[in-house]
Short mmCIF file of all heavy atoms in Angstrom, two decimals:
data_model
loop_
_atom_site.label_atom_id
_atom_site.label_comp_id
_atom_site.label_asym_id
_atom_site.label_seq_id
_atom_site.Cartn_x
_atom_site.Cartn_y
_atom_site.Cartn_z
N PRO A 97 -104.52 -213.67 136.75
CA PRO A 97 -105.24 -214.58 135.86
C PRO A 97 -105.14 -216.05 136.27
O PRO A 97 -106.06 -216.83 136.00
CB PRO A 97 -104.57 -214.36 134.49
CG PRO A 97 -103.96 -213.01 134.59
CD PRO A 97 -103.51 -212.89 136.03
N TYR A 100 -107.90 -218.05 137.74
CA TYR A 100 -109.09 -217.20 137.82
C TYR A 100 -110.18 -217.82 136.97
O TYR A 100 -110.02 -217.96 135.76
CB TYR A 100 -108.76 -215.78 137.33
CG TYR A 100 -109.98 -214.88 137.24
CD1 TYR A 100 -110.50 -214.29 138.39
CD2 TYR A 100 -110.61 -214.64 136.03
CE1 TYR A 100 -111.62 -213.47 138.33
CE2 TYR A 100 -111.73 -213.82 135.96
CZ TYR A 100 -112.22 -213.25 137.11
OH TYR A 100 -113.34 -212.44 137.03
N PHE A 103 -108.85 -220.10 134.45
CA PHE A 103 -107.85 -219.71 133.44
C PHE A 103 -106.53 -220.39 133.79
O PHE A 103 -106.08 -220.32 134.94
CB PHE A 103 -107.69 -218.18 133.39
CG PHE A 103 -106.92 -217.71 132.19
CD1 PHE A 103 -107.53 -217.61 130.94
CD2 PHE A 103 -105.56 -217.38 132.29
CE1 PHE A 103 -106.81 -217.20 129.82
CE2 PHE A 103 -104.83 -216.96 131.18
CZ PHE A 103 -105.46 -216.87 129.94
N CYS A 108 -102.65 -213.18 129.72
CA CYS A 108 -103.35 -213.44 128.45
C CYS A 108 -102.48 -212.91 127.32
O CYS A 108 -101.96 -211.79 127.39
CB CYS A 108 -104.70 -212.72 128.40
SG CYS A 108 -105.87 -213.26 129.67
N ASP A 135 -101.68 -209.03 128.22
CA ASP A 135 -102.58 -208.45 129.23
C ASP A 135 -102.18 -208.97 130.61
O ASP A 135 -102.35 -210.14 130.92
CB ASP A 135 -104.02 -208.85 128.88
CG ASP A 135 -105.05 -208.12 129.73
OD1 ASP A 135 -104.69 -207.59 130.79
OD2 ASP A 135 -106.22 -208.10 129.32
N SER A 137 -102.20 -208.77 134.81
CA SER A 137 -103.00 -208.38 135.97
C SER A 137 -102.31 -208.93 137.21
O SER A 137 -101.91 -210.09 137.22
CB SER A 137 -104.41 -208.95 135.90
OG SER A 137 -104.91 -208.86 134.59
N ASP A 146 -104.46 -203.99 136.52
CA ASP A 146 -104.79 -204.62 135.25
C ASP A 146 -104.44 -203.67 134.11
O ASP A 146 -105.00 -202.58 134.03
CB ASP A 146 -106.31 -204.91 135.26
CG ASP A 146 -106.78 -205.77 134.10
OD1 ASP A 146 -105.95 -206.24 133.34
OD2 ASP A 146 -108.01 -205.97 134.00
N HIS A 209 -113.97 -202.71 133.33
CA HIS A 209 -114.54 -203.07 134.63
C HIS A 209 -113.90 -202.24 135.73
O HIS A 209 -112.75 -201.80 135.60
CB HIS A 209 -114.28 -204.55 134.89
CG HIS A 209 -112.84 -204.94 134.66
ND1 HIS A 209 -111.91 -204.95 135.67
CD2 HIS A 209 -112.16 -205.26 133.53
CE1 HIS A 209 -110.74 -205.30 135.17
NE2 HIS A 209 -110.85 -205.48 133.86
N HIS A 216 -112.44 -208.07 139.01
CA HIS A 216 -113.50 -207.46 138.20
C HIS A 216 -114.61 -206.97 139.12
O HIS A 216 -115.29 -207.77 139.74
CB HIS A 216 -114.03 -208.46 137.17
CG HIS A 216 -113.00 -208.83 136.14
ND1 HIS A 216 -112.47 -210.08 136.03
CD2 HIS A 216 -112.40 -208.09 135.20
CE1 HIS A 216 -111.58 -210.11 135.05
NE2 HIS A 216 -111.50 -208.91 134.53
N GLU A 242 -110.22 -200.33 128.14
CA GLU A 242 -109.58 -201.42 127.39
C GLU A 242 -110.39 -201.84 126.17
O GLU A 242 -110.78 -202.99 126.03
CB GLU A 242 -109.33 -202.62 128.30
CG GLU A 242 -110.54 -203.11 129.10
CD GLU A 242 -110.27 -204.40 129.87
OE1 GLU A 242 -109.65 -205.30 129.29
OE2 GLU A 242 -110.69 -204.51 131.01
N TRP A 260 -112.12 -219.97 126.59
CA TRP A 260 -111.51 -218.65 126.80
C TRP A 260 -111.29 -217.80 125.57
O TRP A 260 -111.73 -216.67 125.52
CB TRP A 260 -110.14 -218.83 127.53
CG TRP A 260 -110.35 -219.14 128.96
CD1 TRP A 260 -110.24 -220.37 129.57
CD2 TRP A 260 -110.76 -218.23 130.00
NE1 TRP A 260 -110.54 -220.27 130.90
CE2 TRP A 260 -110.86 -218.97 131.18
CE3 TRP A 260 -111.03 -216.85 130.02
CZ2 TRP A 260 -111.22 -218.38 132.39
CZ3 TRP A 260 -111.40 -216.27 131.23
CH2 TRP A 260 -111.49 -217.03 132.39
N GLU A 274 -104.80 -201.39 127.35
CA GLU A 274 -105.62 -201.27 128.57
C GLU A 274 -104.90 -200.44 129.61
O GLU A 274 -103.72 -200.66 129.87
CB GLU A 274 -105.91 -202.66 129.15
CG GLU A 274 -106.63 -202.63 130.50
CD GLU A 274 -106.99 -204.00 131.04
OE1 GLU A 274 -106.38 -205.00 130.61
OE2 GLU A 274 -107.87 -204.07 131.90
N1 MF3 B 1 -107.03 -209.05 132.08
C1 MF3 B 1 -108.35 -209.29 131.53
C2 MF3 B 1 -109.11 -208.00 131.64
O1 MF3 B 1 -108.64 -207.04 131.13
C3 MF3 B 1 -109.05 -210.36 132.29
C4 MF3 B 1 -108.62 -211.67 131.91
S1 MF3 B 1 -109.46 -212.82 132.81
C5 MF3 B 1 -108.41 -214.10 132.63
O2 MF3 B 1 -110.13 -207.87 132.22
F1 MF3 B 1 -108.79 -215.03 133.40
F2 MF3 B 1 -108.45 -214.45 131.36
F3 MF3 B 1 -107.22 -213.71 132.94
#
Side-chain angles (χ1 to χ4, degrees):
Y100 174 79
F103 192 79
C108 298
D135 189 341
S137 319
D146 190 5
H209 49 93
H216 295 113
E242 52 173 317
W260 285 103
E274 173 177 21

